[in-house]
Amino acid sequence: MNITFAQKKLKKEANNDRLLHRRHGKERANKLLLRLSQLRDAVTLEDVRYLPGKFHELTENRKGQWACDLDQPYRLVFRPHENPIPISSSGAYIWKEIKGVEVIEIINYHKEK
């Protein structure tokens, strides 16, 4: 799957292990590298849906975004490249038709509430 980054800072961190470990710590950095590897190895978003990491759709003010676990409570948040996002007749996102994602941020979005 094709992965892009919303921010130059994130792209730079993701491509520099030393910088990533310094900014996020060993555990989060290693989880982030694993999640990015899982996404890169996938052909579609459906391929990661049931992998460890709890890849899931977000709701409410983050509708149209997905997340996966890093170290608790942090998540890797991303959105599909497809615009509009493929939707079935029942209104559910079609994970099999999503072939690329843009990484938005690493965040504890639960404290936003």
Side-chain angles (χ1 to χ4, degrees):
M1 182 180 310
N2 182 34
I3 301 173
T4 58
F5 296 86
Q7 302 167 10
K8 287 182 184 180
K9 176 186 164 190
L10 274 174
K11 182 177 181 177
K12 186 175 179 181
E13 289 174 1
N15 291 297
N16 183 326
D17 289 356
R18 196 167 150 192
L19 179 60
L20 187 64
H21 281 80
R22 189 171 354 121
R23 289 205 177 141
H24 296 282
K26 182 180 179 180
E27 184 179 357
R28 188 172 312 139
N30 288 340
K31 288 281 186 172
L32 176 61
L33 292 171
L34 173 63
R35 300 297 176 240
L36 290 173
S37 176
Q38 290 171 321
L39 286 166
R40 272 190 205 99
D41 292 345
V43 175
T44 71
L45 198 55
E46 182 70 24
D47 296 335
V48 298
R49 189 173 196 166
Y50 301 106
L51 291 179
K54 193 179 173 196
F55 289 83
H56 58 284
E57 300 170 18
L58 299 177
T59 59
E60 298 177 17
N61 64 331
R62 289 189 173 268
K63 186 161 179 60
Q65 298 178 358
W66 273 252
C68 59
D69 292 346
L70 296 175
D71 58 324
Q72 292 297 341
Y74 287 88
R75 307 288 191 275
L76 175 65
V77 179
F78 54 92
R79 66 178 153 239
H81 286 163
E82 287 74 14
N83 188 11
I85 301 170
I87 298 177
S88 70
S89 59
S90 64
Y93 290 124
I94 306 172
W95 289 51
K96 286 182 181 180
E97 292 185 16
I98 298 171
K99 296 181 169 98
V101 296
E102 178 180 49
V103 174
I104 301 169
E105 61 188 337
I106 298 166
I107 190 169
N108 171 9
Y109 53 70
H110 293 288
K111 75 176 185 182
E112 291 178 355
K113 295 179 180 182

